[in-house]
Amino acid sequence: MIPKTTADFEEKYIGSLINDRYKIIKLVGTGGMGSVYLAEHEILRKKVAIKILHYEQSKRKDTVERFKREAIAASNVGQDNIVDVTDFGYTEEGNAYFVMEYVEGRSLADVMKEQRVLPLEFAVAVASQIAVALYSAHGKGIIHRDLKPENILLTTKDGIYPFVKIVDFGISKILQDDVKPDERLRTLTKSGAIFGTPEYMSPEQAAGNSVEPASDIYSLGVIMYEMLTGRLPFFDDNYMKILHKHQYEFPELPSNVNPDIVPEMNSVIMKCLEKKPFNRYGTMMLLLGDLKNIYLKYNLEEKLSLAFLYNSGTVRSMNPAAEMISSQDIIRMLNSSPDEEVRHVSIESRKAGTVLKILVVVILLAVAGIAAYTFVKRQNPPMVAERTELSKYDDKNAAVKEEQPNKKEIVADRKGAETVKKAPVNGKKSVPMMKLTVNSNIPGVRVFNNETGKTICKTPCTKKLPRKEAGVIILGFEYEDYSIKPMAVTLDKDMTVNLNLKQEADNG
Protein backbone atom coordinates (compact mmCIF):
# COMPACT_ATOMS: atom_id res chain seq x y z
CA MET A 1 0.00 0.00 0.00
CA ILE A 2 1.25 3.49 -0.90
CA PRO A 3 0.38 6.16 1.71
CA LYS A 4 -2.06 8.84 0.59
CA THR A 5 0.56 11.57 0.94
CA THR A 6 2.83 9.70 -1.45
CA ALA A 7 -0.01 9.08 -3.92
CA ASP A 8 -0.88 12.78 -3.84
CA PHE A 9 2.69 13.77 -4.65
CA GLU A 10 2.87 11.24 -7.47
CA GLU A 11 -0.35 12.56 -8.98
CA LYS A 12 1.05 16.07 -8.69
CA TYR A 13 4.17 15.17 -10.70
CA ILE A 14 2.21 14.33 -13.87
CA GLY A 15 2.66 17.27 -16.25
CA SER A 16 5.05 19.09 -13.92
CA LEU A 17 8.58 20.27 -14.65
CA ILE A 18 11.37 18.86 -12.46
CA ASN A 19 14.24 21.29 -11.89
CA ASP A 20 13.32 23.24 -15.04
CA ARG A 21 14.63 20.39 -17.18
CA TYR A 22 12.42 17.30 -17.14
CA LYS A 23 8.72 17.39 -17.96
CA ILE A 24 6.86 14.41 -16.46
CA ILE A 25 4.61 12.72 -19.04
CA LYS A 26 3.17 9.67 -17.28
CA LEU A 27 3.69 7.13 -14.50
CA VAL A 28 5.38 3.96 -15.77
CA GLY A 29 5.55 1.86 -12.60
CA THR A 30 5.66 1.96 -8.82
CA GLY A 31 7.78 -0.06 -6.39
CA GLY A 32 8.58 -0.17 -2.69
CA MET A 33 11.19 2.61 -2.80
CA GLY A 34 9.91 4.88 -5.53
CA SER A 35 8.04 5.42 -8.78
CA VAL A 36 9.33 5.56 -12.33
CA TYR A 37 8.01 8.14 -14.79
CA LEU A 38 8.38 8.75 -18.49
CA ALA A 39 9.67 12.29 -18.99
CA GLU A 40 11.17 14.51 -21.67
CA HIS A 41 14.15 16.84 -21.47
CA GLU A 42 12.84 20.33 -22.14
CA ILE A 43 15.77 21.46 -24.31
CA LEU A 44 17.02 18.23 -25.91
CA ARG A 45 13.50 16.87 -26.52
CA LYS A 46 14.79 13.45 -25.53
CA LYS A 47 12.72 10.88 -23.69
CA VAL A 48 14.12 9.75 -20.35
CA ALA A 49 12.96 7.74 -17.36
CA ILE A 50 12.97 9.36 -13.92
CA LYS A 51 12.89 7.37 -10.71
CA ILE A 52 11.60 9.47 -7.80
CA LEU A 53 11.93 8.22 -4.24
CA HIS A 54 8.65 8.00 -2.34
CA TYR A 55 7.90 10.95 -0.06
CA GLU A 56 8.05 8.90 3.16
CA GLN A 57 11.21 7.07 2.05
CA SER A 58 12.94 10.39 1.34
CA LYS A 59 12.80 11.12 5.07
CA ARG A 60 14.95 8.07 5.87
CA LYS A 61 18.67 8.68 5.62
CA ASP A 62 19.60 5.03 5.00
CA THR A 63 17.02 4.74 2.20
CA VAL A 64 18.27 7.92 0.51
CA GLU A 65 21.84 6.61 0.74
CA ARG A 66 20.76 3.31 -0.81
CA PHE A 67 18.94 5.24 -3.53
CA LYS A 68 22.10 7.23 -4.26
CA ARG A 69 24.07 4.01 -4.39
CA GLU A 70 21.73 2.61 -7.04
CA ALA A 71 22.37 5.67 -9.21
CA ILE A 72 26.13 5.50 -8.65
CA ALA A 73 26.31 1.77 -9.36
CA ALA A 74 24.38 1.98 -12.64
CA SER A 75 26.26 5.05 -13.89
CA ASN A 76 29.71 3.70 -13.00
CA VAL A 77 29.47 0.46 -14.98
CA GLY A 78 29.08 2.11 -18.37
CA GLN A 79 28.06 -1.06 -20.22
CA ASP A 80 25.49 -1.21 -23.03
CA ASN A 81 23.40 -3.90 -21.34
CA ILE A 82 22.96 -1.88 -18.14
CA VAL A 83 20.53 1.05 -18.09
CA ASP A 84 22.64 4.21 -17.88
CA VAL A 85 21.98 6.86 -15.21
CA THR A 86 22.69 10.42 -16.34
CA ASP A 87 21.54 12.77 -13.57
CA PHE A 88 20.72 12.94 -9.86
CA GLY A 89 18.91 15.59 -7.80
CA TYR A 90 16.01 16.54 -5.54
CA THR A 91 12.51 17.78 -6.28
CA GLU A 92 11.16 20.97 -4.73
CA GLU A 93 9.49 18.81 -2.06
CA GLY A 94 12.82 17.19 -1.21
CA ASN A 95 12.29 13.85 -2.93
CA ALA A 96 15.51 12.36 -4.31
CA TYR A 97 15.42 11.34 -7.97
CA PHE A 98 17.72 10.12 -10.70
CA VAL A 99 17.41 10.21 -14.47
CA MET A 100 18.14 7.21 -16.67
CA GLU A 101 17.77 6.20 -20.29
CA TYR A 102 14.24 5.29 -21.30
CA VAL A 103 13.91 1.72 -22.58
CA GLU A 104 10.97 0.80 -24.79
CA GLY A 105 10.30 -2.86 -24.31
CA ARG A 106 9.05 -5.50 -21.89
CA SER A 107 10.53 -7.25 -18.90
CA LEU A 108 11.73 -10.83 -19.17
CA ALA A 109 9.07 -11.66 -16.55
CA ASP A 110 6.32 -10.48 -18.90
CA VAL A 111 7.77 -12.47 -21.80
CA MET A 112 7.94 -15.64 -19.71
CA LYS A 113 4.35 -15.21 -18.50
CA GLU A 114 3.27 -15.09 -22.12
CA GLN A 115 5.45 -17.88 -23.55
CA ARG A 116 6.30 -19.90 -20.41
CA VAL A 117 9.12 -21.94 -22.01
CA LEU A 118 11.55 -19.96 -24.17
CA PRO A 119 13.57 -21.34 -27.12
CA LEU A 120 17.21 -22.28 -26.51
CA GLU A 121 18.57 -19.51 -28.73
CA PHE A 122 16.47 -16.91 -26.88
CA ALA A 123 17.62 -18.13 -23.45
CA VAL A 124 21.27 -18.23 -24.54
CA ALA A 125 20.97 -14.70 -25.97
CA VAL A 126 19.51 -13.29 -22.75
CA ALA A 127 21.89 -15.17 -20.43
CA SER A 128 24.96 -14.22 -22.49
CA GLN A 129 24.16 -10.52 -22.37
CA ILE A 130 23.49 -10.65 -18.64
CA ALA A 131 26.82 -12.42 -18.15
CA VAL A 132 28.75 -9.75 -20.07
CA ALA A 133 26.95 -6.90 -18.29
CA LEU A 134 27.55 -8.27 -14.80
CA TYR A 135 31.13 -9.24 -15.63
CA SER A 136 31.71 -5.54 -16.25
CA ALA A 137 29.89 -4.64 -13.03
CA HIS A 138 31.84 -7.19 -10.99
CA GLY A 139 35.07 -5.84 -12.43
CA LYS A 140 34.19 -2.48 -10.89
CA GLY A 141 33.30 -3.97 -7.52
CA ILE A 142 29.52 -3.89 -8.02
CA ILE A 143 27.32 -6.91 -7.25
CA HIS A 144 23.66 -6.65 -8.25
CA ARG A 145 22.16 -8.95 -5.54
CA ASP A 146 18.61 -8.73 -6.89
CA LEU A 147 18.88 -10.25 -10.34
CA LYS A 148 15.43 -11.45 -11.44
CA PRO A 149 13.27 -11.40 -14.61
CA GLU A 150 11.47 -8.22 -13.47
CA ASN A 151 14.81 -6.37 -13.51
CA ILE A 152 15.74 -7.52 -17.01
CA LEU A 153 14.24 -5.43 -19.80
CA LEU A 154 14.14 -6.73 -23.37
CA THR A 155 14.19 -4.22 -26.20
CA THR A 156 15.31 -3.90 -29.83
CA LYS A 157 18.55 -2.15 -30.69
CA ASP A 158 20.08 -1.85 -34.17
CA GLY A 159 17.74 -4.61 -35.35
CA ILE A 160 18.83 -6.94 -32.54
CA TYR A 161 16.18 -8.63 -30.39
CA PRO A 162 16.29 -9.53 -27.59
CA PHE A 163 18.68 -6.79 -26.49
CA VAL A 164 19.05 -6.89 -22.69
CA LYS A 165 18.95 -3.90 -20.37
CA ILE A 166 19.47 -4.58 -16.65
CA VAL A 167 17.87 -2.21 -14.14
CA ASP A 168 17.45 -1.75 -10.38
CA PHE A 169 20.78 -1.79 -8.57
CA GLY A 170 18.88 -0.66 -5.46
CA ILE A 171 20.39 -3.26 -3.15
CA SER A 172 23.65 -3.69 -5.03
CA LYS A 173 26.81 -4.17 -3.04
CA ILE A 174 29.70 -1.85 -3.83
CA LEU A 175 33.19 -3.00 -2.88
CA GLN A 176 35.48 -0.01 -2.48
CA ASP A 177 39.12 -0.40 -3.44
CA ASP A 178 40.25 2.82 -1.78
CA VAL A 179 39.48 1.81 1.82
CA LYS A 180 41.31 -0.28 4.36
CA PRO A 181 41.09 -4.09 3.96
CA ASP A 182 39.11 -4.53 7.19
CA GLU A 183 36.55 -2.00 5.92
CA ARG A 184 36.37 -3.33 2.35
CA LEU A 185 33.11 -5.24 2.79
CA ARG A 186 31.29 -2.49 4.63
CA THR A 187 27.86 -1.77 3.14
CA LEU A 188 24.65 -0.04 4.17
CA THR A 189 23.13 -3.35 5.23
CA LYS A 190 23.50 -4.90 8.64
CA SER A 191 25.22 -8.23 9.16
CA GLY A 192 22.73 -11.08 8.93
CA ALA A 193 20.12 -8.98 7.12
CA ILE A 194 18.50 -10.53 4.05
CA PHE A 195 17.85 -8.38 0.99
CA GLY A 196 16.62 -9.58 -2.38
CA THR A 197 13.90 -11.76 -3.89
CA PRO A 198 13.66 -15.22 -2.24
CA GLU A 199 13.03 -17.18 -5.45
CA TYR A 200 16.32 -15.96 -6.98
CA MET A 201 18.57 -15.77 -3.93
CA SER A 202 21.82 -17.68 -3.61
CA PRO A 203 22.24 -19.99 -0.58
CA GLU A 204 24.71 -17.61 1.06
CA GLN A 205 22.39 -14.66 0.47
CA ALA A 206 19.44 -16.62 1.88
CA ALA A 207 21.50 -17.32 5.00
CA GLY A 208 22.26 -13.62 5.47
CA ASN A 209 25.96 -14.12 4.78
CA SER A 210 28.29 -11.88 2.81
CA VAL A 211 27.83 -12.13 -0.96
CA GLU A 212 30.35 -12.02 -3.79
CA PRO A 213 30.00 -12.14 -7.62
CA ALA A 214 29.19 -15.87 -7.36
CA SER A 215 25.83 -14.87 -5.87
CA ASP A 216 24.82 -13.15 -9.12
CA ILE A 217 25.95 -16.26 -11.01
CA TYR A 218 23.57 -18.37 -8.92
CA SER A 219 20.70 -15.97 -9.61
CA LEU A 220 21.42 -16.14 -13.33
CA GLY A 221 21.30 -19.94 -13.04
CA VAL A 222 17.81 -19.67 -11.55
CA ILE A 223 16.73 -17.40 -14.42
CA MET A 224 18.10 -19.81 -17.05
CA TYR A 225 16.33 -22.70 -15.31
CA GLU A 226 13.06 -20.78 -15.40
CA MET A 227 13.44 -19.66 -19.02
CA LEU A 228 13.96 -23.22 -20.30
CA THR A 229 11.61 -25.18 -18.01
CA GLY A 230 8.82 -22.70 -17.41
CA ARG A 231 9.13 -23.01 -13.64
CA LEU A 232 11.42 -22.06 -10.76
CA PRO A 233 13.89 -24.60 -9.30
CA PHE A 234 12.45 -23.88 -5.83
CA PHE A 235 8.97 -22.56 -5.07
CA ASP A 236 6.61 -22.46 -2.11
CA ASP A 237 3.95 -20.19 -0.66
CA ASN A 238 6.16 -19.69 2.39
CA TYR A 239 9.20 -17.48 1.70
CA MET A 240 11.17 -18.98 4.57
CA LYS A 241 10.73 -22.45 3.07
CA ILE A 242 12.05 -21.15 -0.24
CA LEU A 243 15.15 -19.77 1.49
CA HIS A 244 15.63 -23.13 3.22
CA LYS A 245 15.41 -25.00 -0.08
CA HIS A 246 18.05 -22.77 -1.66
CA GLN A 247 20.39 -23.62 1.20
CA TYR A 248 19.78 -27.35 1.66
CA GLU A 249 17.83 -28.92 -1.21
CA PHE A 250 18.91 -29.77 -4.75
CA PRO A 251 16.73 -28.82 -7.71
CA GLU A 252 15.36 -31.32 -10.19
CA LEU A 253 17.44 -31.58 -13.33
CA PRO A 254 16.18 -29.11 -15.92
CA SER A 255 16.04 -31.87 -18.56
CA ASN A 256 13.72 -33.89 -16.29
CA VAL A 257 11.27 -30.99 -16.44
CA ASN A 258 11.84 -30.25 -20.13
CA PRO A 259 13.36 -33.20 -22.11
CA ASP A 260 14.20 -30.84 -24.99
CA ILE A 261 16.97 -29.16 -22.97
CA VAL A 262 20.35 -30.09 -24.43
CA PRO A 263 22.86 -31.84 -22.10
CA GLU A 264 25.36 -28.97 -22.23
CA MET A 265 22.75 -26.46 -21.07
CA ASN A 266 21.77 -28.87 -18.32
CA SER A 267 25.37 -28.81 -17.08
CA VAL A 268 25.70 -25.02 -17.31
CA ILE A 269 22.56 -24.43 -15.23
CA MET A 270 23.45 -27.00 -12.57
CA LYS A 271 26.96 -25.59 -12.24
CA CYS A 272 25.48 -22.14 -11.61
CA LEU A 273 23.18 -23.62 -8.95
CA GLU A 274 25.91 -25.25 -6.89
CA LYS A 275 25.39 -24.64 -3.16
CA LYS A 276 28.98 -23.61 -2.49
CA PRO A 277 30.14 -20.45 -4.31
CA PHE A 278 33.55 -21.94 -5.15
CA ASN A 279 31.87 -24.80 -7.04
CA ARG A 280 30.16 -22.38 -9.43
CA TYR A 281 31.81 -20.57 -12.33
CA GLY A 282 34.72 -18.46 -11.19
CA THR A 283 33.54 -15.49 -13.27
CA MET A 284 30.69 -14.53 -15.55
CA MET A 285 33.14 -14.68 -18.45
CA LEU A 286 33.80 -18.38 -17.84
CA LEU A 287 30.06 -18.94 -17.89
CA LEU A 288 29.86 -16.99 -21.13
CA GLY A 289 32.49 -19.29 -22.63
CA ASP A 290 30.25 -22.34 -22.11
CA LEU A 291 27.21 -20.50 -23.44
CA LYS A 292 29.20 -19.62 -26.55
CA ASN A 293 30.16 -23.27 -27.04
CA ILE A 294 26.47 -24.21 -26.95
CA TYR A 295 25.71 -21.40 -29.40
CA LEU A 296 28.29 -22.72 -31.86
CA LYS A 297 27.63 -26.43 -31.40
CA TYR A 298 23.90 -26.19 -32.02
CA ASN A 299 24.16 -23.61 -34.84
CA LEU A 300 22.04 -21.13 -32.93
CA GLU A 301 23.40 -18.31 -35.09
CA GLU A 302 21.05 -19.50 -37.83
CA LYS A 303 18.14 -18.48 -35.60
CA LEU A 304 19.61 -15.55 -33.68
CA SER A 305 23.01 -13.93 -34.26
CA LEU A 306 25.03 -13.08 -31.14
CA ALA A 307 28.17 -12.01 -32.96
CA PHE A 308 27.59 -8.42 -31.77
CA LEU A 309 28.13 -9.70 -28.23
CA TYR A 310 30.67 -12.52 -28.51
CA ASN A 311 33.00 -10.35 -30.58
CA SER A 312 32.38 -7.08 -28.77
CA GLY A 313 35.26 -5.07 -27.38
CA THR A 314 34.28 -6.05 -23.84
CA VAL A 315 34.42 -9.78 -24.50
CA ARG A 316 37.50 -9.72 -26.75
CA SER A 317 39.51 -7.63 -24.31
CA MET A 318 38.57 -9.72 -21.27
CA ASN A 319 38.49 -13.19 -22.75
CA PRO A 320 41.66 -14.39 -24.55
CA ALA A 321 39.73 -17.33 -25.97
CA ALA A 322 37.67 -14.88 -28.01
CA GLU A 323 40.78 -14.10 -30.06
CA MET A 324 40.83 -17.70 -31.22
CA ILE A 325 37.73 -17.31 -33.38
CA SER A 326 38.76 -17.08 -37.02
CA SER A 327 38.28 -13.86 -38.93
CA GLN A 328 36.08 -15.67 -41.44
CA ASP A 329 33.76 -16.91 -38.70
CA ILE A 330 33.55 -13.40 -37.25
CA ILE A 331 32.61 -11.92 -40.62
CA ARG A 332 30.08 -14.68 -41.27
CA MET A 333 28.36 -14.23 -37.91
CA LEU A 334 28.38 -10.42 -37.93
CA ASN A 335 27.14 -9.91 -41.46
CA SER A 336 24.68 -12.75 -41.99
CA SER A 337 20.95 -12.10 -41.82
CA PRO A 338 17.84 -13.86 -43.18
CA ASP A 339 17.34 -11.44 -46.07
CA GLU A 340 20.92 -10.65 -46.91
CA GLU A 341 24.07 -12.62 -47.57
CA VAL A 342 27.70 -11.52 -47.60
CA ARG A 343 29.80 -14.04 -49.44
CA HIS A 344 33.54 -14.33 -49.88
CA VAL A 345 33.79 -15.30 -53.52
CA SER A 346 37.35 -16.58 -53.46
CA ILE A 347 37.37 -20.39 -53.72
CA GLU A 348 40.48 -20.44 -51.54
CA SER A 349 38.71 -18.33 -48.91
CA ARG A 350 35.74 -20.69 -48.79
CA LYS A 351 38.03 -23.66 -48.36
CA ALA A 352 40.00 -21.86 -45.68
CA GLY A 353 36.75 -20.99 -43.88
CA THR A 354 35.86 -24.68 -43.64
CA VAL A 355 39.32 -25.59 -42.36
CA LEU A 356 39.28 -22.78 -39.84
CA LYS A 357 35.94 -23.89 -38.43
CA ILE A 358 37.59 -27.17 -37.57
CA LEU A 359 40.62 -25.36 -36.20
CA VAL A 360 38.46 -23.33 -33.83
CA VAL A 361 37.48 -26.53 -32.06
CA VAL A 362 41.06 -27.79 -32.05
CA ILE A 363 42.34 -24.50 -30.67
CA LEU A 364 39.88 -24.56 -27.82
CA LEU A 365 41.00 -28.06 -26.89
CA ALA A 366 44.76 -27.76 -27.29
CA VAL A 367 47.34 -24.98 -27.29
CA ALA A 368 49.00 -26.53 -30.33
CA GLY A 369 46.00 -25.53 -32.43
CA ILE A 370 46.92 -21.85 -32.13
CA ALA A 371 49.96 -22.33 -34.32
CA ALA A 372 47.87 -24.15 -36.92
CA TYR A 373 45.29 -21.35 -36.88
CA THR A 374 47.95 -18.68 -37.43
CA PHE A 375 49.55 -20.59 -40.30
CA VAL A 376 46.27 -21.15 -42.15
CA LYS A 377 45.06 -17.58 -41.64
CA ARG A 378 48.22 -16.16 -43.17
CA GLN A 379 47.47 -18.03 -46.36
CA ASN A 380 44.09 -16.31 -46.85
CA PRO A 381 44.07 -13.81 -49.76
CA PRO A 382 42.51 -10.35 -49.34
CA MET A 383 38.72 -10.53 -49.41
CA VAL A 384 36.09 -8.45 -51.14
CA ALA A 385 32.70 -8.11 -49.46
CA GLU A 386 29.59 -6.70 -51.08
CA ARG A 387 26.85 -4.81 -49.22
CA THR A 388 23.66 -4.61 -51.27
CA GLU A 389 20.97 -2.44 -49.71
CA LEU A 390 17.28 -3.36 -50.09
CA SER A 391 18.17 -6.19 -52.47
CA LYS A 392 19.90 -9.56 -52.27
CA TYR A 393 23.54 -10.12 -53.06
CA ASP A 394 24.37 -10.68 -56.72
CA ASP A 395 27.22 -13.12 -57.35
CA LYS A 396 27.90 -11.55 -60.75
CA ASN A 397 28.93 -8.26 -59.15
CA ALA A 398 31.48 -9.90 -56.88
CA ALA A 399 35.21 -9.52 -57.39
CA VAL A 400 38.34 -10.98 -55.94
CA LYS A 401 41.41 -8.90 -55.42
CA GLU A 402 44.65 -10.82 -55.10
CA GLU A 403 47.71 -9.20 -53.58
CA GLN A 404 50.99 -11.03 -53.10
CA PRO A 405 53.95 -9.79 -51.05
CA ASN A 406 57.16 -8.97 -52.88
CA LYS A 407 59.06 -12.23 -53.39
CA LYS A 408 62.29 -10.55 -52.27
CA GLU A 409 60.71 -9.90 -48.87
CA ILE A 410 59.73 -13.53 -48.28
CA VAL A 411 61.94 -15.76 -46.18
CA ALA A 412 61.16 -19.47 -45.94
CA ASP A 413 62.15 -21.27 -42.77
CA ARG A 414 63.18 -24.93 -42.63
CA LYS A 415 59.60 -26.08 -42.19
CA GLY A 416 58.49 -24.23 -45.31
CA ALA A 417 56.45 -21.59 -43.51
CA GLU A 418 56.66 -18.12 -45.06
CA THR A 419 57.11 -14.88 -43.15
CA VAL A 420 57.43 -11.32 -44.39
CA LYS A 421 60.33 -9.14 -43.30
CA LYS A 422 59.40 -5.75 -41.88
CA ALA A 423 62.07 -3.15 -42.48
CA PRO A 424 62.47 -0.48 -39.81
CA VAL A 425 61.84 3.13 -40.80
CA ASN A 426 64.26 5.76 -39.44
CA GLY A 427 65.46 3.25 -36.86
CA LYS A 428 61.94 2.80 -35.46
CA LYS A 429 59.63 -0.18 -35.81
CA SER A 430 56.91 0.54 -38.33
CA VAL A 431 53.29 -0.15 -37.38
CA PRO A 432 51.82 -2.78 -39.74
CA MET A 433 48.88 -1.37 -41.67
CA MET A 434 46.02 -2.78 -43.70
CA LYS A 435 44.27 -1.04 -46.58
CA LEU A 436 40.50 -0.55 -46.46
CA THR A 437 38.87 0.40 -49.76
CA VAL A 438 35.20 1.35 -49.88
CA ASN A 439 33.39 1.86 -53.18
CA SER A 440 29.75 2.76 -53.77
CA ASN A 441 27.53 3.17 -56.79
CA ILE A 442 26.47 6.52 -55.34
CA PRO A 443 29.50 8.62 -54.26
CA GLY A 444 29.64 10.52 -50.98
CA VAL A 445 28.59 7.80 -48.55
CA ARG A 446 30.05 8.55 -45.10
CA VAL A 447 31.96 5.58 -43.69
CA PHE A 448 32.41 5.62 -39.93
CA ASN A 449 33.40 3.44 -36.96
CA ASN A 450 30.01 2.17 -35.79
CA GLU A 451 31.22 1.81 -32.19
CA THR A 452 32.78 5.29 -31.79
CA GLY A 453 30.94 7.26 -34.48
CA LYS A 454 34.25 8.62 -35.83
CA THR A 455 34.28 9.28 -39.58
CA ILE A 456 36.76 7.18 -41.53
CA CYS A 457 36.22 8.52 -45.06
CA LYS A 458 33.66 9.25 -47.79
CA THR A 459 33.23 6.99 -50.78
CA PRO A 460 34.98 6.26 -53.01
CA CYS A 461 37.94 6.09 -50.70
CA THR A 462 40.93 4.11 -49.51
CA LYS A 463 42.11 4.35 -45.92
CA LYS A 464 45.01 2.74 -44.09
CA LEU A 465 44.18 1.31 -40.66
CA PRO A 466 46.39 -0.44 -38.07
CA ARG A 467 46.57 -4.14 -38.85
CA LYS A 468 45.41 -6.42 -36.01
CA GLU A 469 45.55 -10.19 -35.88
CA ALA A 470 41.95 -11.49 -35.73
CA GLY A 471 40.85 -7.87 -35.25
CA VAL A 472 37.47 -6.62 -36.42
CA ILE A 473 35.99 -3.19 -37.05
CA ILE A 474 32.27 -2.60 -37.48
CA LEU A 475 31.68 -0.08 -40.23
CA GLY A 476 28.65 2.18 -40.28
CA PHE A 477 27.41 3.92 -43.43
CA GLU A 478 25.39 7.11 -43.84
CA TYR A 479 23.95 8.75 -46.93
CA GLU A 480 20.87 10.99 -46.95
CA ASP A 481 17.80 8.93 -45.94
CA TYR A 482 19.12 5.56 -47.08
CA SER A 483 18.97 2.77 -44.50
CA ILE A 484 22.33 1.02 -44.70
CA LYS A 485 23.11 -1.77 -42.26
CA PRO A 486 26.46 -1.82 -40.41
CA MET A 487 29.05 -4.25 -41.71
CA ALA A 488 32.04 -5.95 -40.09
CA VAL A 489 35.43 -6.35 -41.75
CA THR A 490 38.62 -7.90 -40.44
CA LEU A 491 41.75 -5.86 -39.78
CA ASP A 492 44.29 -8.59 -40.50
CA LYS A 493 44.41 -8.15 -44.30
CA ASP A 494 43.54 -5.64 -47.02
CA MET A 495 39.79 -5.41 -47.52
CA THR A 496 37.52 -3.99 -50.23
CA VAL A 497 33.86 -3.22 -49.54
CA ASN A 498 31.45 -2.53 -52.41
CA LEU A 499 28.20 -0.75 -51.53
CA ASN A 500 25.28 -1.04 -53.93
CA LEU A 501 22.55 1.37 -52.84
CA LYS A 502 19.17 0.69 -54.39
CA GLN A 503 15.91 2.43 -53.67
CA GLU A 504 12.75 0.43 -53.10
CA ALA A 505 10.49 0.24 -56.10
CA ASP A 506 7.78 2.89 -56.24
CA ASN A 507 4.49 1.06 -55.79
CA GLY A 508 2.39 4.16 -55.98
Side-chain angles (χ1 to χ4, degrees), residues 406-421:
N406 190 320
K407 292 182 179 179
K408 294 181 181 180
E409 297 178 342
I410 296 177
V411 178
D413 60 19
R414 293 180 181 179
K415 295 182 180 179
E418 294 181 344
T419 58
V420 180
K421 285 185 176 181

Side-chain angles (χ1 to χ4, degrees), residues 226-242:
E226 187 177 10
M227 284 193 290
L228 291 170
T229 66
R231 78 180 199 190
L232 290 160
F234 302 114
F235 50 90
D236 198 286
D237 293 335
N238 187 309
Y239 283 167
M240 293 307 295
K241 288 184 178 179
I242 295 176

Side-chain angles (χ1 to χ4, degrees), residues 388-391 441-442 479-484 500-507:
T388 303
E389 295 306 318
L390 304 180
S391 64
N441 61 324
I442 301 178
Y479 183 77
E480 295 182 354
D481 57 350
Y482 280 78
S483 178
I484 313 174
N500 187 10
L501 278 61
K502 292 182 179 180
Q503 292 181 326
E504 292 179 320
D506 187 358
N507 297 323

Side-chain angles (χ1 to χ4, degrees), residues 117-118 227-230 253-262 266:
V117 177
L118 302 179
M227 284 193 290
L228 291 170
T229 66
L253 282 173
S255 57
N256 287 350
V257 182
N258 177 11
D260 292 334
I261 295 177
V262 298
N266 224 25

